[in-house]
Amino acid sequence: MKRVQVNKTSKLFFLNVLLLSCASANASDVDSSFYGSLRLGADYVDSGTSDDAANGRDYLSRIGVNAEVKLTDDLTGIGKVEYGLRGDDGVNFNQNQKAGMRQIYVGLKGKFGTVTYGSQTIIWHQYVRSAYFSDGLDSLRQGAIRDDDMLQWQKTYNNWKFGAAIQTEKQDGDSIDQYQVAAQYKNQSLKLQAALAADQQGENTGNLYGFRAWYDISKAFTVSAFYHLAEEDFDLYKGNSSGNVRLVSAEESGKVGGVTACVDEDRSTVGLYGKWRQDNNQIHARYAVNSCDIKGDVSSIKVEYIRYFSKKFRMWASFEQLDNDTTRLPSTGEDMSEAQVGVRFDF
């Protein structure tokens, strides 16, 4: 996952715009809400190294503020600021380390849809990816989750939803670093989604494609299938964890073994997901395979049980096994597994 980087000037700019918008309207028109999500637990990673052990974990805990201000009868100003609570190592909760920025954006909402600008969850991720599990991570994935300097538009029309985005990041000689488009169709039991991220940065200008389908077999049982394909020239997130194929918790814990990236070659991910929910109990599972032209395949099976004590408080336990293709050189790494237990409290 690409860590959002926002400089101090940008932060102050967005905050001042939001505060000035609120100050220019009547107090009765301003609607703001504070929220948080505490996600703490422990895991055990078996990656074949000498330091395999149980570890205390923060699973992407965050706090934030949403704000809206009525500008006209048909126009609303919106803003969001969100910080992650985990430490600088990306995993452990440490009182001596500072929180990290996750999202900060401003925008407008009206009959034309919703337009936002800033650091935010990207269109491609919203439409064709899903973290699925309680840790908020996905070990087999393409692309980023959040990114900086994104201008995004979304509009819902009957059963359809459309999205588009452009990114103007860094002074690197490219006015537009990438653009994205996405569409979704949804009826009572079926949801179909597609998205494209086009790399416009540098000489390599490949594409990242995504497709996903959901079907509600019954009120209790839902299935999903997805397919992602990154072309060889799609290297927008090269060198970041976003494009890697790996067990996230193991790598962020500093372990050397496990699944490695396969950039500079075509790479695809295909998977099946199923969810069963009855009263306060939920069981869901995913099987996925990431294929690299040179380094081979990585397959993942993950199963999780969730117990809901209320809508706001839950506990979970999960297990994931990753099997790697070691018949090719260089191989995708050693097999790995991870067990988790955790508590999530939303407020």
Side-chain angles (χ1 to χ4, degrees):
M1 178 181 67
K2 180 179 179 181
R3 183 182 295 273
V4 174
Q5 300 292 336
V6 183
N7 60 42
K8 182 179 294 185
T9 301
S10 298
K11 293 179 184 178
L12 292 175
F13 172 77
F14 287 126
L15 288 172
N16 286 334
V17 169
L18 181 58
L19 291 173
L20 288 173
S21 298
C22 294
S24 64
N26 294 326
S28 59
D29 293 331
V30 177
D31 181 15
S32 60
S33 59
F34 172 80
Y35 67 91
S37 181
L38 304 180
R39 309 176 184 189
L40 302 178
D43 68 0
Y44 182 89
V45 177
D46 182 0
S47 60
T49 63
S50 59
D51 58 348
D52 288 342
N55 299 280
R57 288 288 309 275
D58 174 87
Y59 292 97
L60 301 176
S61 297
R62 77 285 307 264
I63 56 173
V65 176
N66 287 311
E68 290 189 358
V69 56
K70 196 75 171 178
L71 303 176
T72 68
D73 289 342
D74 299 322
L75 190 64
T76 301
I78 60 175
K80 185 187 189 77
V81 179
E82 183 180 275
Y83 278 87
L85 298 182
R86 62 186 185 180
D88 292 338
D89 63 355
V91 175
N92 300 298
F93 184 83
N94 190 321
Q95 294 182 10
N96 297 320
Q97 294 175 335
K98 297 179 181 179
M101 178 68 69
R102 287 173 56 88
Q103 298 189 79
I104 179 169
Y105 63 80
V106 291
L108 294 171
K109 181 171 60 176
K111 294 181 179 179
F112 53 83
T114 300
V115 176
T116 53
Y117 179 76
S119 301
Q120 54 191 310
T121 303
I122 63 175
I123 291 290
W124 199 90
H125 171 75
Q126 293 183 52
Y127 281 74
V128 296
R129 278 208 57 242
S130 179
Y132 295 116
F133 301 102
S134 296
D135 55 13
L137 304 175
D138 192 350
S139 59
L140 293 173
R141 66 178 180 211
Q142 308 274 11
I145 295 179
R146 296 177 300 276
D147 216 334
D148 299 331
D149 303 326
M150 300 291 296
L151 176 64
Q152 297 188 162
W153 165 82
Q154 293 193 73
K155 170 71 174 179
T156 300
Y157 181 76
N158 295 330
N159 291 340
W160 290 90
K161 183 179 180 181
F162 302 97
I166 59 174
Q167 182 184 36
T168 56
E169 185 184 30
K170 302 177 182 178
Q171 293 189 2
D172 54 7
D174 296 307
S175 296
I176 298 177
D177 282 355
Q178 69 166 307
Y179 67 82
Q180 300 182 9
V181 292
Q184 171 182 292
Y185 172 81
K186 183 179 181 181
N187 59 26
Q188 291 183 344
S189 58
L190 178 67
K191 182 165 63 176
L192 302 174
Q193 300 165 306
L196 165 70
D199 184 357
Q200 301 296 295
Q201 187 181 71
E203 296 180 357
N204 295 328
T205 54
N207 296 321
L208 172 63
Y209 305 93
F211 305 94
R212 188 167 68 173
W214 297 84
Y215 184 71
D216 295 325
I217 297 177
S218 66
K219 291 183 178 181
F221 191 42
T222 299
V223 294
S224 175
F226 62 92
Y227 176 73
H228 303 154
L229 173 64
E231 295 178 339
E232 178 181 352
D233 288 342
F234 184 83
D235 62 357
L236 185 67
Y237 299 110
K238 181 178 179 179
N240 295 296
S241 62
S242 309
N244 290 358
V245 185
R246 76 243 198 332
L247 183 60
V248 175
S249 61
E251 180 165 313
E252 290 179 341
S253 296
K255 295 188 180 297
V256 181
V259 187
T260 57
C262 55
V263 295
D264 295 328
E265 54 182 296
D266 287 350
R267 51 203 184 272
S268 64
T269 305
V270 60
L272 296 173
Y273 169 81
K275 179 180 72 174
W276 174 83
R277 172 78 183 267
Q278 186 70 39
D279 298 326
N280 295 323
N281 300 294
Q282 177 177 307
I283 298 175
H284 56 167
R286 181 212 58 212
Y287 174 74
V289 177
N290 189 287
S291 298
C292 303
D293 284 351
I294 300 173
K295 290 189 177 180
D297 300 341
V298 181
S299 63
S300 167
I301 298 177
K302 187 168 185 176
V303 179
E304 180 177 79
Y305 168 74
I306 303 175
R307 172 66 179 182
Y308 289 85
F309 293 92
S310 72
K311 291 182 178 180
K312 300 292 187 179
F313 193 94
R314 73 192 74 166
M315 298 184 67
W316 82 84
S318 67
F319 179 81
E320 181 173 17
Q321 175 69 41
L322 289 102
D323 295 319
N324 307 287
D325 186 351
T326 58
T327 63
R328 303 192 191 185
L329 293 175
S331 73
T332 48
E334 302 299 327
D335 294 346
M336 301 174 65
S337 65
E338 180 192 33
Q340 294 179 4
V341 292
V343 176
R344 175 172 170 174
F345 179 28
D346 298 330
F347 56 90

